[in-house]
Amino acid sequence: KNQVEQSPQSLIILEGKNCTLQCNYTVSPFSNLRWYKQDTGRGPVSLTIMTFSENTKSNGRYTATLDADTKQSSLHITASQLSDSASYICVVSPRAGKSTFGDGTTLTVKP
Amino acid sequence: DAGVIQSPRHEVTEMGQEVTLRCKPISGHDYLFWYRQTMMRGLELLIYFNNNVPIDDSGMPEDRFSAKMPNASFSTLKIQPSEPRDSAVYFCASSRPRDSPYEQYFGPGTRLTVT
């Protein structure tokens, strides 16, 4: 069964600090992995998309990494800002069939 | 472009009533997705369309749910009759894979409460 597990479930950090969110998956055969940011009361917004051949992708202060051999991905946030407070969702898609969504990590950035 | 537009943003209804959620995808996008999000189950894909044709509706919970896409700029998700367990946030998303493979653009969602 395809699964996506995200950790930690929630995280609190101080403004300006860095943090790393984890995503482990069992989806196979793998096609792509996406990280979304979802602000409270809003729809998810795409941060990064990585295919099998990509092992890192950046979007401003967000950097995602992918290890297709160990089936792990991480999202690193540099110099966090208050506006980074949100839920971060990892989505993994197989080459055929439906995507599997993680439960998300809730990040709170405090001043 | 205004992005994906959903209406209403909030809907409160009584059990047994019919509910219709509406979505206008981004102009030029040929895929449209309906999702449901709850605390217990997270984000779930209900159904998706390609060029207005339903491709996969295996995520639709039961026959009380139906979705249509009469044209490229409009889709509806209908629940009849509604039940309290249908309370959730329903998102519509659209995409144009030949421009941005795997990228999906989500609307703001409709928060449905069934009492």
Side-chain angles (χ1 to χ4, degrees), chain A residues 46-48 57-64:
Chain A
S46 178
L47 291 175
T48 62
K57 185 74 71 81
S58 291
N59 178 357
R61 293 179 298 101
Y62 301 99
T63 299

Side-chain angles (χ1 to χ4, degrees), chain B residues 21-52:
Chain B
L21 312 182
R22 296 172 175 79
C23 174
K24 177 178 168 54
I26 293 172
S27 177
H29 283 194
D30 49 3
Y31 280 80
L32 183 139
F33 307 81
W34 281 103
Y35 291 91
R36 177 172 69 176
Q37 187 176 40
T38 61
M39 289 292 291
M40 291 297 293
R41 300 171 68 93
L43 263 171
E44 304 173 277
L45 176 65
L46 301 178
I47 184 172
Y48 76 92
F49 295 82
N50 177 215
N51 291 324
N52 314 337

Side-chain angles (χ1 to χ4, degrees), chain B residues 28-102:
Chain B
H29 283 194
D30 49 3
Y31 280 80
L32 183 139
F33 307 81
W34 281 103
Y35 291 91
R36 177 172 69 176
Q37 187 176 40
T38 61
M39 289 292 291
M40 291 297 293
R41 300 171 68 93
L43 263 171
E44 304 173 277
L45 176 65
L46 301 178
I47 184 172
Y48 76 92
F49 295 82
N50 177 215
N51 291 324
N52 314 337
V53 177
I55 303 300
D56 185 346
D57 65 353
S58 60
M60 297 286 261
E62 46 197 277
D63 292 345
R64 298 185 297 105
F65 286 69
S66 63
K68 294 182 180 180
M69 191 164 186
N71 57 63
S73 59
F74 184 66
S75 177
T76 60
L77 178 68
K78 185 175 294 186
I79 308 172
Q80 165 65 14
S82 57
E83 296 183 3
R85 60 193 168 119
D86 301 331
S87 297
V89 181
Y90 291 82
F91 289 103
C92 176
S94 70
S95 71
R96 186 179 163 93
R98 59 180 172 273
D99 289 346
S100 303
Y102 316 123

Side-chain angles (χ1 to χ4, degrees), chain B residues 6-11 21 88-91 108-112:
Chain B
Q6 292 187 247
S7 64
R9 293 295 312 278
H10 301 274
E11 177 79 42
L21 312 182
V89 181
Y90 291 82
F91 289 103
T110 294
R111 181 174 295 276
L112 173 65

Side-chain angles (χ1 to χ4, degrees), chain A residues 97-111:
Chain A
K98 295 167 69 170
S99 300
T100 302
F101 289 77
D103 289 336
T105 292
T106 301
L107 174 65
T108 302
V109 180
K110 294 197 168 185

Side-chain angles (χ1 to χ4, degrees), chain A residues 63-106:
Chain A
T63 299
T65 63
L66 172 65
D67 186 333
D69 291 331
T70 62
K71 297 186 178 178
Q72 295 180 322
S73 176
S74 63
L75 180 69
H76 186 74
I77 304 174
T78 303
S80 61
Q81 301 176 358
L82 298 179
S83 59
D84 293 330
S85 295
S87 178
Y88 292 82
I89 301 170
C90 174
V91 184
V92 185
S93 299
R95 285 192 212 132
K98 295 167 69 170
S99 300
T100 302
F101 289 77
D103 289 336
T105 292
T106 301

